[in-house]
Amino acid sequence: MFQRSMAGDQHLPNGVVVASYETYAQAQAAVAKVSSSDTELAGLAIIGNDLKLVERIVGRLTWGKVAMRGAIRGLGFGAFLGLMFLVFVPEAITSVLVFPLLGLAFGILLAVVQHAIIRRKRDFASTQQVLAARYDVVAPQTVAGRAMQVIGQREGAAVPSEAQLQSAPPPHGSPEQMEQPTGASADGPGERTGASTPAPERREPPRS
């Protein structure tokens, strides 16, 4: 259930993006998942990014469809007026039936006239809605870690499996290679790889 925001609250929510989704229903389900884990919900927000106006064409408007829609709207409005008149004048039951008929006639007339004026520019029926390309779930710093753990998603990134973690190479070499000094081989600390230590020269004493 939506509630109107305060008049002075005109800034975007501050916090950390804990998850991103393509549809609003997925983002709403993520917030419901956080709510079921007894995590603090105050401060969580769903932000729609890259808003787009989408108009979907339903079909072509014909004179019959236009008259039918006008008749339905006019009949409903006439029935409402008849019920209101019946409340104030209970004895005029027979005259109440006139209001739906009048509404039916005026509804068809208005719909046909309106369609005749705009049909050259617009002869099709459509529906409009505002959609976002991405929906971010934002949480405050205090509960961002907990919310991220419950949702199990960080900006749509996939969590690696255990097999992938075991087969992945170590980030900076094995511990044995990190402890070994540079240039030293595994045979001994005093030997260098690929090089031999030259023997000292033997000098003879000078002859007298």
Side-chain angles (χ1 to χ4, degrees):
M1 184 176 180
F2 296 99
Q3 297 180 357
R4 292 191 60 184
S5 178
M6 299 176 58
D9 191 7
Q10 299 294 331
H11 62 277
L12 291 176
N14 296 324
V16 180
V17 178
V18 297
S20 295
Y21 299 94
E22 294 181 356
T23 62
Y24 176 78
Q26 294 175 343
Q28 190 177 22
V31 175
K33 190 175 181 181
V34 176
S35 176
S36 62
S37 65
D38 296 334
T39 306
E40 179 63 31
L41 294 179
L44 266 72
I46 300 176
I47 301 178
N49 299 279
D50 301 332
L51 298 181
K52 299 180 183 299
L53 176 64
V54 180
E55 183 175 4
R56 305 181 189 275
I57 310 303
V58 178
R60 188 183 302 276
L61 285 178
T62 60
W63 291 105
K65 292 181 180 180
V66 171
M68 182 62 67
R69 292 183 179 182
I72 294 174
R73 289 195 297 265
L75 184 62
F77 184 70
F80 174 75
L81 291 180
L83 292 176
M84 294 297 297
F85 185 76
L86 183 62
V87 171
F88 293 100
V89 187
E91 61 274 6
I93 300 178
T94 55
S95 61
V96 171
L97 300 177
V98 179
F99 286 96
L101 296 178
L102 291 177
L104 178 66
F106 278 107
I108 294 176
L109 180 62
L110 291 177
V112 170
V113 171
Q114 183 180 7
H115 181 64
I117 295 175
I118 66 173
R119 72 186 185 92
R120 292 184 179 181
K121 297 180 179 180
R122 185 184 179 90
D123 61 344
F124 57 89
S126 63
T127 59
Q128 291 185 355
Q129 58 183 158
V130 178
L131 298 176
R134 189 182 74 258
Y135 295 90
D136 295 337
V137 178
V138 178
Q141 293 281 354
T142 55
V143 297
R146 174 60 179 168
M148 196 180 306
Q149 181 181 3
V150 172
I151 296 176
Q153 182 181 1
R154 170 69 175 175
E155 297 184 357
V159 179
S161 61
E162 184 177 356
Q164 293 176 345
L165 292 175
Q166 292 179 357
S167 61
H172 299 291
S174 60
E176 292 80 2
Q177 294 177 353
M178 295 177 64
E179 293 177 359
Q180 185 176 348
T182 305
S185 63
D187 296 333
E191 299 182 2
R192 296 182 179 272
T193 305
S196 60
T197 305
E201 281 189 26
R202 183 176 181 182
R203 297 183 180 182
E204 295 181 359
R207 297 179 181 179
S208 55

